[in-house]
Amino acid sequence: IYTLSLHDALPIYELKLLKKIRRRFYYYGAFAASKMIFILPYRFSVTSVSNAAGTLAYFFAVGARIKAKKNLRACFPEKTKKEINAITKNVFINQAKNFFELANFPRMDSSFLKSISSIENSHLIKEGIKKRKGILFVSAHTGNWEITAAAVADMGVAVNVVAKKIYIEELNGMLVGYRNGKNVHVILRDAPDTGRKLLRALKRGEIIAMLIDQDTNVPGVFVDFFGRKAWTPSGLAVLALKTGAEVLVGVDQRLDKFGHKTVVSGPLTIEPSGDFDKDVVALTQKASSVLEEHIRKYPEQWVWFHERWKTQKKD
């Protein structure tokens, strides 16, 4: 029996129009929300209001909630149902706080940033910059990674973040604008000149930050992550081994109602094996293990609703 679908019933130009309208709706919704958030007192918006928004998301985003609990149970089999539920709820609240904080970026000047964030082991960044080979900064979607990038750039060093372009052009422009406002330059990973931009940035002795904790459609390798093989972006390891750039890890830790601390560690090094591919896996594994250690300490601050183990390794 043939079922008529929307794609069968509507001409292509009408489908494109519907998609355009939907994307406009998403953009104007996000734009309006960001403006409403911005007029609220900062501490009120990133505490009481974001807590309420995150709690609502926890109850209404059923699919994401189910995924998060499934992943948490697999990674923390020793935790009770009550503990898993509490962590999951706080995962949604953390993401709501992230959105509210991002909407407040226009008011975050240097003194504001310093009042809400700090960098532990910032000397590692300063020492790495002096070597003039550039720094590859490994990070993850934990705490508020946008504040980490802004705080590091506030040190007076050039920071570049590698990011995927959001398919809604206006939303992408809004996010890039927030980052540029904090002197964080965005290098889109799907652009034809991405490789050249990365190499030029390293030659200038700048920082390139990459988030390597998600299963994305980019070149990668399988490494152990919470006891399971996880497809992990390998571009950072490849760049490090080919250029000699220093590898540091920097992850954000949410401290209290509105405080943050970026924890920097490294440099990460491996003993060369003579086999480039093996070395890429080894360095990627080492970086992933540091990220896992941090996430284990603060599980409520990571994005557990992401399909981290989506890609399966074929024997």
Side-chain angles (χ1 to χ4, degrees):
I1 298 175
Y2 180 78
T3 302
L4 187 67
S5 69
L6 181 63
H7 286 273
D8 298 313
L10 294 175
I12 293 176
Y13 73 89
E14 290 187 20
L15 287 172
K16 288 183 177 179
L17 179 61
L18 286 173
K19 184 181 291 186
K20 185 176 181 180
I21 292 172
R22 186 174 67 248
R23 291 181 175 182
R24 283 281 180 178
F25 176 78
Y26 290 155
Y27 165 66
Y28 285 120
F31 179 80
S34 67
K35 293 302 180 184
M36 290 175 64
I37 291 168
F38 189 69
I39 65 175
L40 295 172
Y42 178 79
R43 294 189 176 188
F44 177 64
S45 69
V46 300
T47 53
S48 301
V49 183
S50 61
N51 284 345
T55 300
L56 285 174
Y58 169 77
F59 285 110
F60 286 101
V62 179
R65 185 176 75 235
I66 291 172
K67 289 178 185 176
K69 289 183 179 181
K70 178 184 176 182
N71 285 333
L72 280 163
R73 284 193 297 267
C75 295
F76 297 95
E78 75 282 2
K79 292 190 181 295
T80 65
K81 182 179 179 180
K82 184 178 180 180
E83 289 174 320
I84 294 295
N85 289 343
I87 292 172
T88 305
K89 183 179 179 181
N90 283 321
V91 166
F92 283 86
I93 290 174
N94 183 70
Q95 295 312 307
K97 288 180 181 293
N98 287 349
F99 177 72
F100 278 68
E101 287 166 340
L102 188 62
N104 276 282
F105 261 35
R107 73 169 52 150
M108 290 188 187
D109 57 15
S110 180
S111 61
F112 194 114
L113 268 174
K114 286 181 172 64
S115 72
I116 65 168
S117 66
S118 62
I119 302 177
E120 184 177 282
N121 299 325
S122 60
H123 67 279
L124 294 175
I125 298 173
K126 296 175 182 177
E127 290 168 3
I129 290 295
K130 289 179 181 178
K131 297 176 182 178
R132 300 184 180 278
K133 288 189 175 182
I135 294 175
L136 289 161
F137 204 72
V138 184
S139 196
H141 295 83
T142 183
N144 189 335
W145 51 96
E146 300 289 357
I147 285 183
T148 284
V152 173
D154 191 55
M155 292 175 58
V157 299
V159 176
N160 305 271
V161 295
V162 180
K164 180 181 179 180
K165 184 177 181 179
I166 299 175
Y167 68 92
I168 301 175
E169 190 72 37
E170 295 87 350
L171 276 179
N172 186 76
M174 190 165 72
L175 180 56
V176 170
Y178 282 145
R179 290 167 172 165
N180 286 343
K182 294 290 158 287
N183 296 316
V184 176
H185 179 63
V186 178
I187 298 177
L188 297 175
R189 74 182 191 205
D190 299 322
D193 60 346
T194 298
R196 290 194 296 273
K197 287 183 176 179
L198 294 175
L199 291 173
R200 287 170 185 167
L202 291 177
K203 286 181 179 179
R204 292 192 297 266
E206 298 176 359
I207 292 176
I208 295 176
M210 295 186 185
L211 301 161
I212 68 165
D213 61 324
Q214 292 196 341
D215 186 326
T216 54
N217 188 27
V218 297
V221 293
F222 283 101
V223 298
D224 292 326
F225 192 68
F226 281 90
R228 290 186 283 171
K229 293 296 181 183
W231 182 253
T232 305
S234 58
L236 182 139
V238 170
L239 272 175
L241 293 171
K242 286 188 174 182
T243 65
E246 191 162 86
V247 179
L248 297 178
V249 179
V251 285
D252 180 64
Q253 176 189 342
R254 191 178 290 281
L255 296 177
D256 49 34
K257 293 181 179 179
F258 35 78
H260 292 267
K261 178 173 69 174
T262 293
V263 183
V264 181
S265 60
L268 300 186
T269 59
I270 60 167
E271 190 67 34
S273 68
D275 185 321
F276 185 79
D277 291 338
K278 285 185 178 180
D279 290 346
V280 168
V281 174
L283 186 52
T284 305
Q285 178 66 74
K286 195 162 190 176
S288 295
S289 295
V290 176
L291 297 179
E292 179 185 331
E293 182 180 359
H294 180 86
I295 294 167
R296 281 189 179 276
K297 291 179 181 177
Y298 313 101
E300 72 283 355
Q301 298 185 23
W302 193 58
V303 286
W304 288 98
F305 43 75
H306 170 66
E307 293 279 12
R308 183 66 186 91
W309 297 268
K310 175 179 62 178
T311 303
Q312 296 294 308
K313 187 174 184 180
K314 297 178 180 179
D315 295 327

